[in-house]
Amino acid sequence: MTTAPSAPRAPRTSLALPGPRAPMTPRALAASAAPATSITSATFITSAAPVAPAALGLPLGRADVEAAAARIAGHVRRTPLLAGPAGPELPRGGRRLLLKAEHLQYSGSFKLRGAANAVLALGARRIVTGSSGNHGIALARLAAPLGAEVTVVLAGGAHPAKIAVIKALGGRTVRVPGGVAERDARARELAEETGAVLIPSSDHELVVAGQGTVGLEVLAEAPDAETLYVPTGGGGLLAGVCLAAYGHPVRVVGVEPAGTPRYARSLAAGHPVRLAPGDTVADGLRGQQPGAVPYPIIRDRVDDLITVSDAQILDAAALLRRRGFEAEPSGAVALAGALRAGRGTGLAVAVVSGGNTKTALMTAAAAGPPSRTHCTA
């Protein structure tokens, strides 16, 4: 599914959240027109129940992303842009492709950015979250140097090696049956029961702003980028990149696993909808419905949403390994989208969002928590 490049946008400073749902934009309508084959593997459930309210109910804009960048600077790595596939590896060649190497982030994924922004801004010392693994790892890694306690609620499909790392970092884990919706509901209950601060993996203003620092760095180092491919699960990273891209003509393309196209389905319906629990090799992207915070941002700014099959994801991960990138399947989704699109002659950037492979996770578990004085070691 592709759309024509959109015209340059007037600068935007903020988005009102959550507010009434606006009519679908031409961009969103085009994004919803996916070929039926790209989403038929997902079971579709409309839900009369509203999504959770925004965590803080505040407007978000690029200024919040810039503030997050300043806040987390001492706790995250400014990851490099590295050369991506070229020539015969890139279908319909002629364009340049760079890779934003978030698999080199201290916690092994971009999730450290949003987690750090929320923890530092809120001064949280008792934290509860629901996570597929990488957000929990990020919070547990932050907690050790800051003297905080973290409880991570995980659904049945969580990777055992990621659970082991959370425990090795000093985090407490709770397993629940069901999917992401049940996981997040239990996390909310635990936070209410214990008085801990709930820091969701994506549906929180501070988390979204922190994830948006990925976009700030990309556009600062590659201001001539024409297309930016972003993996899309809960939507925190895509929404944050959308905020960072306001006022910039770059095309922002969200890439979802074909089995869990919650944002494509929601934009097609004109409101957030809930999918049944889905399965994909991209275990970090199994969210069932858009979050209240990311949804309106994505609705109003994303240029395109495309889906990729598990086979395409695994092919992209194998390609990354051949080029020396240790990326997990979730981390290869954006590249899979870029390879599928394979058009144009300008500069494109794909976010390699995570590198928590089995080997990397075993190393992290053996290392244990960082010291209290060196959060970024």
Side-chain angles (χ1 to χ4, degrees), residues 113-115 117-118 135 199-202 204-212 236:
R113 296 171 180 268
N117 193 43
H135 180 64
I199 300 181
S201 62
S202 59
H204 192 289
E205 285 90 342
L206 290 166
V207 172
V208 168
Q211 315 302 33

Side-chain angles (χ1 to χ4, degrees), residues 104-276:
L104 299 178
Q105 192 54 259
Y106 293 127
S107 67
S109 82
F110 76 96
K111 290 287 189 177
L112 187 65
R113 296 171 180 268
N117 193 43
V119 170
L120 296 170
L122 297 173
R125 290 296 178 266
R126 297 178 65 199
I127 301 163
V128 171
T129 191
S131 173
S132 299
N134 284 347
H135 180 64
I137 290 171
L139 284 172
R141 192 180 195 283
L142 287 163
L146 297 175
E149 298 177 357
V150 173
T151 299
V152 182
V153 183
L154 303 115
H159 198 299
K162 291 184 177 180
I163 298 173
V165 172
I166 293 169
K167 291 179 177 178
L169 291 170
R172 174 175 175 249
T173 62
V174 176
R175 302 289 298 278
V176 297
V180 173
E182 290 76 16
R183 178 200 78 189
D184 291 345
R186 181 57 183 147
R188 288 192 296 271
E189 291 173 356
L190 277 177
E192 293 171 0
E193 292 168 3
T194 64
V197 175
L198 178 67
I199 300 181
S201 62
S202 59
D203 197 15
H204 192 289
E205 285 90 342
L206 290 166
V207 172
V208 168
Q211 315 302 33
T213 60
V214 171
L216 285 185
E217 292 178 12
V218 169
L219 295 177
E221 296 181 34
D224 56 337
E226 293 185 2
T227 309
L228 179 50
Y229 294 92
V230 184
T232 306
L237 178 58
L238 180 58
V241 169
C242 284
L243 290 176
Y246 265 89
H248 194 289
V250 66
R251 293 182 68 248
V252 179
V253 178
V255 187
E256 296 183 289
T260 55
R262 79 241 69 183
Y263 277 94
R265 290 283 196 173
S266 295
L267 293 185
H271 58 82
V273 298
R274 179 175 169 179
L275 304 181

Side-chain angles (χ1 to χ4, degrees), residues 72-100:
I72 68 178
H75 298 266
V76 305
R77 171 176 287 161
R78 187 182 181 96
T79 55
L81 280 176
L82 303 176
E89 292 180 319
L90 192 61
R92 289 171 294 217
R95 67 172 181 174
R96 295 165 54 216
L97 178 62
L98 298 178
L99 303 174
K100 178 60 170 170

Side-chain angles (χ1 to χ4, degrees), residues 334-355:
L335 175 59
L339 294 174
R340 176 189 164 185
R343 67 180 179 85
T345 58
L347 175 63
V349 178
V351 179
V352 182
S353 56

